[in-house]
């Protein structure tokens, strides 16, 4: 569900016919060599395919048009090996409607002082060729990605890999479909928004379905399927009955498994890749989905609570970009304001994503003093340490703003025996006071996506591709 594999990137090398066929043949050979080395590096999540040497406006325009119509092409990578007169790129680049990356590199990473001559210079002109080409992209006000450096370097290959993930996320964003089971939580402002504008701007489809439609799926789940998954999950998680009778524990866990299977089938049947629930509307359900939601997030589905479709879709998008690694729906739950301990404890009443777990999650059943339903089963675990970003999307009426800061993730300082939920501690890198004041000033909400696998450069690239205002608090 989460890992999108069926994409590739095209490579178009800039040149011109001034240098003769010998040089053009070499340009093509060098391009293929560079592409093969990148593909063989093992760092790139998607393959690069050589498309053409761009020599004329006609063949460049043709390549870009073909890229638009080939659904397997996520974007185009360009490089000016020789000087490539940039007027030849204008029409094709204007028509391209997929992410564009300008790899400003040179075949050799050095100046061959002993052997360099005019033949070498006819072939290797990226120092000035890349500037001619970059000018026209800047003049066209394009949000193309520029990566400068030697193509064989580790950090450049990592940068290409990260951009590829963003480019695929951009393509996939137009396929994100969120189902809201019930509407959003009554009276809440920050989780609301303009669904039509979200579809225009970000490609997201957001549909309402009544809880009754889900209940029909819940009631139709086969008991044998529930029993099988109940067995299987004991391999992955520790089942802790605690204060519950064995019968109650088993019943309540199995009910969450029933909800998991039902929600998954509902989404599969109707093409959804994310969903929301709302504890205010659970008519016909025994429990607020908890463990059910956590299992679906582990599968890669987007989710947010209380009908927050913006965060559900954002989480799905960042799960695609992170290949579903350590990327979670999160909520600012409570604060540690003591000097030297400044931190936010993140959690939710149940639905914390086990992709950020640092220990083996426990399945537990406890009362939930909200929603008026049966005690829900949930996964309880501890979050992780490491660098992360915390991100939200705010609707200001006239625009969406992507708001984020970099944070340091930590494990909570102690256990919370009376708060049996999964927990993640973090502190904004700019400091809790500065970070929180920046966040509050920007109008960022309390529902976020926390990712240990996406970074600020990727968020910047993503915001550029969508033309979003990006508020990076630092
Ligand atoms: Mn919430």
């Amino acid at each position: 569900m989460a890992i999108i594999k069926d994409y590739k990137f095209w490579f178009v090398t800039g040149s011109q016919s001034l240098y003769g066929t010998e040089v053009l043949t070499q340009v093509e050979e060098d391009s293929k060599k560079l592409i093969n080395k990148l593909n063989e590096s093992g760092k790139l999540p998607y393959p690069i395919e050589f498309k053409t040497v761009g020599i004329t406006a006609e063949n460049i325009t043709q390549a870009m048009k073909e890229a638009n119509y080939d659904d397997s092409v996520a974007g185009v990578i360009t490089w000016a090996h020789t000087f490539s007169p940039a007027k030849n790129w204008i029409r094709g680049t204007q028509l391209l409607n997929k992410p564009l990356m300008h790899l400003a590199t040179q075949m050799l990473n050095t100046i061959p002082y002993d052997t360099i001559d005019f033949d070498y210079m006819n072939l290797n002109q990226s120092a000035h060729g890349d500037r001619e080409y970059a000018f026209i992209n800047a003049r066209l006000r394009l949000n193309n990605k520029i990566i400068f450096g030697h193509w064989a370097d580790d950090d450049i290959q990592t940068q290409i890999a990260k951009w590829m993930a963003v480019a695929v996320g951009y393509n996939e964003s137009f396929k994100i479909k969120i189902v809201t089971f019930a509407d959003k939580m009554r009276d809440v402002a920050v989780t609301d928004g303009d669904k039509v504008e979200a579809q225009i701007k970000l490609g997201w489809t957001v549909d309402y379905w009544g809880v009754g439609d889900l209940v029909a799926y819940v009631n139709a789940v086969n008991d044998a399927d529930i029993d099988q998954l109940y067995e299987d999950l004991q391999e992955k998680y520790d089942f802790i009955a605690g204060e519950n009778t064995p019968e109650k524990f088993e019943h309540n866990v199995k009910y969450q498994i029933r909800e998991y299977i039902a929600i998954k089938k509902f989404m599969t049947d109707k093409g959804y890749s994310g969903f929301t629930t709302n504890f205010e509307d659970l008519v016909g359900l025994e429990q607020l989905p908890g463990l059910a939601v956590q299992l679906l997030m582990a599968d890669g589905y987007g989710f947010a609570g209380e009908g927050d479709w913006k965060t559900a879709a954002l989480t799905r998008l960042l799960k695609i970009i992170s290949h579903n690694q350590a990327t979670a729906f999160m909520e600012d739950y409570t604060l540690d304001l003591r000097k030297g301990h400044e931190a936010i404890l993140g959690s939710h009443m149940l639905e914390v994503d086990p992709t950020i777990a640092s220990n083996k999650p426990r399945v537990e059943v406890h009362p939930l003093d909200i929603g008026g339903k049966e005690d829900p089963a949930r996964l309880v675990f501890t979050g992780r340490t490491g660098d992360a970003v915390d991100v939200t999307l705010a609707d200001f009426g006239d625009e969406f703003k992507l708001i984020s800061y970099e944070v340091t993730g930590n494990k909570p300082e102690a256990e919370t025996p009376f708060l049996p939920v999964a927990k993640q501690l973090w502190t904004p890198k700019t400091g809790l006071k500065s970070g929180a004041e920046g966040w509050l000033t920007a109008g960022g909400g309390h529902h976020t996506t926390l990712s240990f696998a996406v970074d600020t450069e990727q968020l910047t690239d993503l915001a550029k591709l969508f033309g979003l205002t990006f508020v990076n608090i630092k």
Side-chain angles (χ1 to χ4, degrees):
M1 178 66 202
I3 299 171
I4 309 288
K5 288 180 182 157
D6 303 330
Y7 277 108
K8 63 188 175 192
F9 288 79
W10 275 356
F11 196 99
V12 179
T13 313
S15 192
Q16 60 177 314
S17 53
L18 182 69
Y19 315 109
T21 50
E22 204 175 313
V23 167
L24 286 176
T25 303
Q26 193 63 44
V27 165
E28 183 167 334
E29 280 179 18
D30 285 351
S31 301
K32 288 177 176 170
K33 182 180 164 196
L34 182 156
I35 291 164
N36 287 340
K37 293 281 187 190
L38 287 174
N39 286 335
E40 289 162 8
S41 71
K43 291 200 182 69
L44 306 187
Y46 306 96
I48 304 175
E49 196 173 87
F50 174 76
K51 177 60 179 166
T52 191
V53 176
I55 300 166
T56 62
E58 287 72 21
N59 86 316
I60 291 170
T61 302
Q62 185 61 28
M64 299 305 193
K65 284 160 71 175
E66 288 175 24
N68 286 344
Y69 281 93
D70 189 333
D71 286 342
S72 68
V73 176
V76 177
I77 300 173
T78 52
W79 169 43
H81 189 340
T82 69
F83 196 84
S84 178
K87 287 181 180 174
N88 290 341
W89 290 84
I90 292 173
R91 183 63 179 150
T93 303
Q94 280 179 320
L95 289 175
L96 181 68
N97 60 19
K98 293 186 176 176
L100 173 65
M101 191 241 279
H102 173 194
L103 179 59
T105 191
Q106 184 173 271
M107 201 61 205
L108 286 181
N109 67 350
T110 185
I111 299 167
Y113 288 105
D114 293 343
T115 56
I116 191 166
D117 58 12
F118 284 111
D119 283 344
Y120 177 90
M121 284 312 307
N122 276 343
L123 178 63
N124 295 280
Q125 304 187 326
S126 26
H128 48 286
D130 275 321
R131 296 194 177 203
E132 160 71 2
Y133 173 61
F135 161 73
I136 208 65
N137 288 340
R139 168 76 189 262
L140 292 171
R141 271 69 169 176
L142 288 179
N143 287 322
N144 63 302
K145 175 71 173 175
I146 296 172
I147 296 181
F148 177 87
H150 194 244
W151 54 273
D153 287 349
D154 273 358
D155 56 342
I156 299 302
Q157 293 181 353
T158 300
Q159 208 179 1
I160 295 169
K162 290 194 311 181
W163 174 81
M164 281 180 158
V166 172
V168 166
Y170 176 80
N171 281 270
E172 285 290 311
S173 193
F174 296 90
K175 300 179 194 169
I176 288 176
K177 286 183 69 178
I178 302 296
V179 47
T180 66
F181 292 117
D183 202 347
K184 51 162 285 302
M185 186 178 168
R186 287 183 277 279
D187 301 322
V188 177
V190 74
T191 54
D192 217 341
D194 183 340
K195 299 187 187 85
V196 177
E197 190 62 21
Q199 188 150 8
I200 292 170
K201 198 78 184 171
L202 297 148
W204 301 344
T205 302
V206 183
D207 292 334
Y208 161 92
W209 281 85
V211 178
D213 296 305
L214 176 59
V215 169
Y217 272 76
V218 169
N219 293 338
V221 175
N222 188 323
D223 284 337
D225 292 340
I226 296 171
D227 293 345
Q228 183 63 53
L229 194 51
Y230 188 80
E231 293 302 314
D232 294 347
L233 288 178
Q234 292 180 59
E235 304 287 316
K236 280 176 83 175
Y237 306 123
D238 291 329
F239 279 39
I240 310 289
E243 308 280 301
N244 302 285
T245 63
E247 293 75 23
K248 178 183 171 183
F249 180 80
E250 183 173 333
H251 174 83
N252 287 23
V253 173
K254 283 188 172 176
Y255 189 76
Q256 288 284 339
I257 292 172
R258 175 180 289 279
E259 289 181 324
Y260 165 72
I261 294 170
I263 297 169
K264 190 165 186 166
K265 178 156 175 44
F266 187 101
M267 290 196 286
T268 304
D269 285 354
K270 301 179 193 310
Y272 293 108
S273 48
F275 67 110
T276 68
T277 57
N278 183 348
F279 66 87
E280 289 177 329
D281 192 349
L282 297 172
V283 178
L285 294 175
E286 280 183 26
Q287 299 174 27
L288 174 65
L291 172 63
V293 172
Q294 293 172 296
L295 296 176
L296 286 160
M297 292 191 288
D299 287 344
Y301 289 92
F303 172 82
E306 293 91 57
D308 181 358
W309 54 266
K310 292 202 303 291
T311 307
L314 179 66
T315 302
R316 169 65 185 150
L317 179 56
L318 295 186
K319 276 178 172 288
I320 293 166
I321 292 173
S322 68
H323 314 291
N324 202 25
Q325 301 297 306
T327 297
F329 161 59
M330 196 47 77
E331 177 171 288
D332 299 79
Y333 219 47
T334 191
L335 302 168
D336 194 334
L337 296 173
R338 295 170 300 154
K339 304 293 181 205
H341 297 261
E342 292 96 337
I344 296 167
L345 180 76
S347 187
H348 207 259
M349 50 195 176
L350 298 173
E351 314 91 333
V352 185
D353 189 322
T355 66
I356 61 167
S358 65
N359 60 345
K360 189 177 184 184
R362 304 184 300 276
V363 176
E364 298 185 18
V365 172
H366 300 280
L368 181 70
D369 297 328
I370 199 165
K373 291 285 171 176
E374 296 296 318
D375 301 353
R378 81 290 305 268
L379 293 173
V380 181
F381 57 85
T382 302
R384 61 177 62 194
T385 56
D387 294 334
V389 290
D390 198 34
V391 198
T392 196
L393 188 75
D395 186 347
F396 273 62
D398 56 352
E399 65 169 341
F400 287 110
K401 289 185 187 180
L402 192 69
I403 300 167
S404 90
Y405 45 37
E406 295 181 355
V407 304
T408 303
N410 274 308
K411 296 175 186 176
E413 291 188 10
E415 296 295 318
T416 58
F418 304 107
L419 185 68
V421 290
K423 292 168 289 289
Q424 170 71 54
L425 203 70
W426 70 83
T427 305
K429 291 203 169 167
T430 181
L432 177 59
K433 179 177 170 60
S434 156
E437 286 178 355
W439 193 279
L440 296 166
T441 303
H446 59 290
H447 279 174
T448 62
T449 307
L450 182 77
S451 177
F452 290 85
V454 172
D455 67 16
T456 300
E457 181 178 357
Q458 288 178 300
L459 295 174
T460 306
D461 292 343
L462 194 64
K464 273 189 179 178
L465 283 169
F466 286 114
L468 292 176
T469 296
F470 180 43
V471 183
N472 178 29
I473 298 159
K474 56 185 177 183

